[in-house]
Amino acid sequence: MLYDGKEMTDRARFERLALPHMGAAYNLAFWLLRSRSDAEDAAQDAYLRAYRGFANVQGEDVRPWLLKIVRNVAFRKLNDRKRATNVISFDAAMSDRVSGEPAAFQVADEAPSAEDLVIGAGEQETVKRALYALPPVYREVIVLREIEAMSYREIAELIGAPIGTVMSRLARARAELRETLTRMKTKDANDAM
Amino acid sequence: MQTMQCEQADELIGAYIDQELDAETRRQVAAHIGDCPACQTLADDVRRISGQVAAIGRELAPERLMADVRARIAEAGSELESQPRAPLTRWRGYSWLRQAAVLVFVCGLTAAAMALMTSRWADTALMEREVTAAHVRSLLQDSPLQIASTDMHTVKPWFAGRLDFSPTVKDLAADGFPLAGARLDYIGERRVAALVYRRRLHVVNVFMWPSADAIDGGPRGLVHKGYNIVTWTKGGIAYWAVSDLNMGELRQLQALL
């Protein structure tokens, strides 16, 4: 019975502090995994893990801690997927690419399920497709910066890298987005002719 | 001091736009962009793409997810009951000594951190408090509006003569952020424009005043007392959007303004 009371307050506290970040958690998982069903699984796993470790968490702002767990779960899933399909993915993106194919091509086969591929024209769809094509480590910094409006320091803490790494990863990610978008525009123009 | 080369600027332009550089580097990048058309184009592109990505907004979680997670937590809760939490008790023996040591250490850290804090951070923290207070105050009153109108051509002229600058007024109803109206507010010892947007049941206050910073920058996302804040500078105007709306959607609004 002793734990009953403690368990209830912990759960109430968890629900109050952690559940409001469901939107951010799911969004991050979705953009890492590019699949709605996988993102759902990842969000559920992450919340369960978070809950199990919650008793030792202090403070009110649990978002960074929670997103870190989401990120770990999602990357583990990506790794499993990579092992299953034997496709080069984010290890290639982690190393500095000096030559060879742009990353967009290297990871084109990283196998998001077909139903979740973005179909359509419109500007938003074009931007989504370009974001889809980025390697996961680049996708992640873009999503955290642009959609969640996190500072470099927050992102650095979340991904466990120095601020300088965040800066250069974002710079590369943006350069690739820019290239992809330009290429898409040229292609669309050619198709139209 | 050396002039900055394109290769250097390349790496820094994003951080420059995100307002993540120290004052000196920021000045150097600004000078370089001023002289180099190619880097100017790059900066414009990065800024545009940043807005485009923000405009996508969060991928929305399916509604059942919240219920599923709650259910799994409830299940896990009953499992946890049977496992006493051991690790914490190990510390108790000489915990007061540890606590004292930690206290001294933390005091030292805090002092060091305070000494390191730049005036800009301090300004930002102060502003965070002020805009959050203004937002909350606006909600405590009967209405956050002095002029209630969804028509930008009514709201914008209303400010003429009341402010020494012309604020940006856009009706974003088509994008899911209908304009509710506006009022004057007083922040940072000056009159500011406050535009009020609605998103479902949420109220968003967007405060605007002329910026001391001539360079466009941001957006930066902040959280203060549970309120989300996005701040940025555009066209010589400082913007502060405050709401209990989630950061993703607040960022979407920012991209539209």
Side-chain angles (χ1 to χ4, degrees), chain A residues 8 16 19 32 58 72 83 110 121 125 134 190:
Chain A
M8 281 315 289
R16 184 170 61 82
L19 289 187
L32 284 174
Q58 310 287 323
N72 288 342
R83 218 169 292 131
E110 189 203 314
E125 276 66 31
L134 286 183
N190 286 343

Side-chain angles (χ1 to χ4, degrees), chain B residues 148-206:
Chain B
S149 169
T150 56
D151 180 16
M152 51 188 267
H153 301 295
T154 308
V155 173
K156 201 174 165 79
W158 181 82
F159 280 113
R162 292 184 166 90
L163 292 171
D164 57 355
F165 67 100
S166 181
T168 319
V169 181
K170 288 184 186 170
D171 180 23
L172 304 169
D175 302 288
F177 294 95
L179 180 66
R183 70 172 189 286
L184 290 175
D185 213 311
Y186 193 76
I187 292 176
E189 302 191 318
R190 62 158 302 140
R191 277 171 180 234
V192 303
L195 290 181
V196 179
Y197 288 93
R198 293 195 189 281
R199 176 81 160 181
R200 298 185 302 273
L201 294 177
H202 303 274
V203 172
V204 186
N205 265 293
V206 181

Side-chain angles (χ1 to χ4, degrees), chain A residues 25-70:
Chain A
Y26 177 80
N27 182 58
L28 178 62
F30 172 79
W31 278 109
L32 284 174
L33 295 162
R34 298 185 301 184
S35 147
R36 294 199 177 90
S37 54
D38 285 359
E40 253 180 85
D41 287 353
Q44 287 201 24
D45 285 3
Y47 265 96
L48 202 59
R49 262 166 222 266
Y51 181 58
R52 293 204 163 115
F54 189 63
N56 301 325
V57 173
Q58 310 287 323
E60 295 278 297
D61 184 16
V62 302
R63 189 174 82 142
W65 168 77
L66 187 72
L67 289 184
K68 201 181 256 185
I69 300 175
V70 171

Side-chain angles (χ1 to χ4, degrees), chain A residues 15 26 76 79 83 91 93 135 142 180 182 184 189-190:
Chain A
E15 294 196 345
Y26 177 80
R76 200 165 305 133
N79 253 330
R83 218 169 292 131
D91 286 343
I142 291 282
T180 313
T182 317
M184 281 174 163
N190 286 343

Side-chain angles (χ1 to χ4, degrees), chain A residues 40 145-146 148 152 178, chain B residues 18 45 50 58 64 219 251:
Chain A
E40 253 180 85
R145 169 63 211 150
E146 309 291 16
E148 299 297 335
Y152 288 14
R178 186 176 180 234
Chain B
D18 294 336
D45 283 0
S50 164
R58 280 182 185 161
R64 65 171 179 281
R251 185 77 173 82

